[in-house]
């Protein structure tokens, strides 16, 4: 069997990947700028109200896309960090962590770390070490926040209505109506 791969095709694929990596770093798709835009909204709202569900959903979608793109292009540290933030956003959306100013500040900090990593990659430096530490810190923060939610008092369930204590004789139907 002949191999379909030629030295020229390997060079073309390699240069294509490098082209896509450059497009990714230059934010041609707008993912990084949209994350920055949405975290500015978080910053504006963090002391006024809870995080807006639409905002959390959009940030989740952006970080999910960022994770996939970074993974496909070999930016493992960015992909892992985006995954950690994506997990945090999911936890906020399903109320596993408090939706409060602390969590809002965490998301703002995440966007800032991502911005720094992007600048480092654009300058030709590796962001791996810094983002690996940031990923661990993000996961630790979310674990701590989950603990706060678990400790919060939950409202007691409404008591169920009392069941009738009268039993029907065997072989006959008994109907109980409560008005």
């Amino acid at each position: 069997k002949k191999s379909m791969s030629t030295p020229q095709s390997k060079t073309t694929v390699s240069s294509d990947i490098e082209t896509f990596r450059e497009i990714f770093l230059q934010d041609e798709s707008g993912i990084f700028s949209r994350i920055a835009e949405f975290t500015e909204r978080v910053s504006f709202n963090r002391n006024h109200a809870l995080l807006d569900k639409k905002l959390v959903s959009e940030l989740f979608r952006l970080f999910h896309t960022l994770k996939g793109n970074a993974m496909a292009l070999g930016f493992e540290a960015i992909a892992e960090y985006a995954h950690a933030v994506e997990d945090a956003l999911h936890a906020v959306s399903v109320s596993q962590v408090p939706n409060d100013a602390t969590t809002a500040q965490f998301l703002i900090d995440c966007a800032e770390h991502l911005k720094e990593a992007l600048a480092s990659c654009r300058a030709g430096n590796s962001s791996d070490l810094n983002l690996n530490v940031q990923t661990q810190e993000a996961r630790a923060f979310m674990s701590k926040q989950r603990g706060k939610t678990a400790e919060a008092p939950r409202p007691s369930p409404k008591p169920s209505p009392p069941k009738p204590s009268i039993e029907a004789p065997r072989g006959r139907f008994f109907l109980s109506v409560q008005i």
Side-chain angles (χ1 to χ4, degrees):
K1 289 184 175 181
K2 284 188 174 181
S3 173
M4 301 277 296
S5 176
T6 64
Q8 184 181 7
S9 67
K10 286 182 181 180
T11 304
T12 303
V13 170
S14 177
S15 66
D16 286 347
I17 290 173
E18 284 306 312
T19 301
F20 290 131
R21 288 173 60 99
E22 187 62 33
I23 290 169
F24 176 79
L25 291 176
Q26 294 306 318
D27 196 25
E28 295 296 324
S29 64
I31 292 174
F32 294 106
S33 57
R34 292 192 65 214
I35 287 171
E37 173 192 333
F38 281 102
T39 51
E40 283 178 24
R41 290 189 203 167
V42 170
S43 178
F44 177 75
N45 291 327
R46 74 174 164 227
N47 295 320
H48 302 290
L50 299 176
L51 294 171
D52 179 78
K53 287 187 185 275
K54 286 177 75 175
L55 180 68
V56 171
S57 177
E58 183 63 19
L59 278 169
F60 176 87
R61 190 182 67 72
L62 288 167
F63 272 96
H64 180 77
T65 302
L66 174 65
K67 175 186 72 174
N69 290 350
M71 193 177 300
L73 295 171
F75 294 104
E76 288 87 11
I78 291 175
E80 281 296 315
Y81 188 65
H83 185 73
V85 178
E86 178 188 35
D87 287 347
L89 288 161
H90 174 72
V92 171
S93 71
V94 297
S95 302
Q96 290 178 345
V97 297
N99 184 345
D100 59 11
T102 304
T103 301
Q105 186 60 51
F106 164 77
L107 294 173
I108 293 164
D109 294 344
C110 287
E112 189 59 34
H113 297 311
L114 190 59
K115 181 179 172 184
E116 291 168 5
L118 179 62
S120 178
C121 285
R122 283 178 179 159
N125 303 321
S126 173
S127 65
D128 289 0
L129 181 61
N130 187 35
L131 273 183
N132 289 336
V133 169
Q134 297 301 335
T135 300
Q136 291 172 356
E137 289 177 0
R139 293 194 189 285
F141 175 82
M142 292 315 297
S143 292
K144 182 179 170 185
Q145 289 297 92
R146 279 188 178 101
K148 285 182 182 180
T149 300
E151 295 168 6
R154 296 181 180 196
S156 58
K158 292 181 181 180
S160 57
K163 294 183 179 178
S165 60
I166 304 172
E167 289 192 29
R170 288 184 180 238
R172 296 188 177 183
F173 292 104
F174 185 75
L175 178 63
S176 175
V177 179
Q178 194 174 23
I179 300 178

